[in-house]
Amino acid sequence: MSDEPHGLDRGLTNYGDRDFARFLRRSFARSMGISPVLLSKPVVGIAVTPSGFNNCHRGMPELVEAVSRGVLAAGALPRPFPTVSLGEVFLNPTSMMYRNLMAMDTEEMIGAQPMDAVVLIGGCDKTVPAQLMGAASADVPAVQLVTGPMSTGRHRGQRLGACTDCRGFWGRYRAGTVDAEEIAEVEGRLSVTAGTCAVMGTASTMACIAEALGMSLPGTAAIPAVHSDRLVAAEESGRAAVRLIETKIRPSQVITEKSVENAIRVLMALSGSTNAIVHLTAIAGRLGIRISPERFNMISDETPVLVDLKPVGQGYMEDFHAAGGMGALLRELRPLLHLDTLDIEGRTLAERLDEPAGWIERSVIRPASDPVSPVGGLVSLSGTLAPDGAIFKRAAATPDLFESEGRAVVFTGLEDLSRRIDDPELDVEAGDILVLQNAGPHAAGMPEAGYLPIPKKLAQAGVKDMVRISDARMSGTAFGSIVLHVAPEAAIGGPLAAVRDGDRIRLSIREKRVDLLVAPEEITRRMKGFQPPAAPKRGYKALYRRSVTQAPEGCDFDFLAGGAGG
Ligand code: FES
């Protein structure tokens, strides 16, 4: 061990007398009933995020116990500490608004408290990105552990998992093919265990991305939350954190341009969540790494979709784990990956993938020679409606709508949408394009409102999909021909704000464009006198409005990007 202070001697409180600060800290630590022998050991912090408002983290106490067991067995002192926890469906206006708060909390608590390494335990959508952003900025040796996915429930002979099936059943209820009694039954059968959503939604995508980056132990992303192997993974993560104290491998050595590109490949092959792009951009941005939209599309066009899971395919996360999980997927992608990236164990990806492959269930993880789709699940768009970019999940869309031109039906915000979408008098037809304004980061914290419902009268007439465009996000468990993350957003004067009912809009996935077919002079005329919505005056929301960046920059705060380790 080097001479630099370690364990509880790190970062002493400043009273102008170091020895007194050390004496006082140890004295207070003794009040926790910890022996002097243990107090002299290196310290592994454990960022814990249980909450009565976060069902996805229900298994946290057992995980913390298992991590602590691993840390102790490896000869260090585990010290759990709380941070903000974000339960996706319990937050208003949207969990996205609080991701940066959790990232700041995580970064600051890692930096301010005496720890030599940290294990971060998260799971629900925004928590893993927030923890990785915080860890990247703090740049203290770190291991990401996820809570793991839920197992599926059963309903009348069908497997159910949150939350693709939530949307499927709700859509059928709106269309009148599922009655009130059945939807009440389904409510109790969608989310039946601890853990994160059971499909390849945002939480699962981010778990896989954490492993692809090298920030989680190999093979741990997809272990179901209630499987005993999840606890073994937690114990091993504790041991790994202690090893990191010796090797001193920092997040900035693991999260590199190459590992970020590998993570994008994995995102494409999983046909993962659109949200993951925003989060990965923010994580990479903390380390000054930027992947251009052109590079993103190149990776998408070269990378096949290999995993057949909902919301795009058939299976659930428990099937992905049983099929071989991330190890199997990475082996299949091997020719496309940077193999010299390092993981937290100090191993290169090549060394990991040289190990013998286990069982692979080919109906879930397809060989590259027989992909689900020959091209990746997501594409980045540009065009006159989205000069700074937009995202389209082609794998979850209707191919017949890839080349579309239609009449805009515009909703000026979330309230307008909920007030009018089911109005029988709404002037809307199946070939129209639904446009939602003012749901971007500045206007509304960028909620998952991009999955605009099909107007009831069209749904009842059998319309299953329409082109929908907004500056909002979409749940990773959702599907449809949906253009998201339009930038600049309407609330800062992007062209989206200029769209009016009846305008023509053209979408071309072949050309990767979304265009407003209105003369530029007319757009300028309409935008004259544009006023952004009123900004909140106090507290975190005021800070958020002042500092949040647009989706192509990851919606991070402008003052948090770059400067890792500072
Ligand atoms: Fe937590 Fe879906 S609600 S992962």
Side-chain angles (χ1 to χ4, degrees), residues 380-382 403 506 508-515:
S380 173
L381 306 177
S382 64
E403 307 299 316
R506 182 169 166 267
S508 172
I509 300 308
R510 190 174 49 236
E511 294 172 26
K512 300 187 172 70
R513 287 189 67 87
V514 58
D515 289 296

Side-chain angles (χ1 to χ4, degrees), residues 324-339:
M326 280 293 291
L329 178 64
L330 290 168
R331 281 183 179 83
E332 212 52 52
L333 290 174
R334 183 172 182 145
L336 297 172
L337 297 172
H338 299 290
L339 295 172

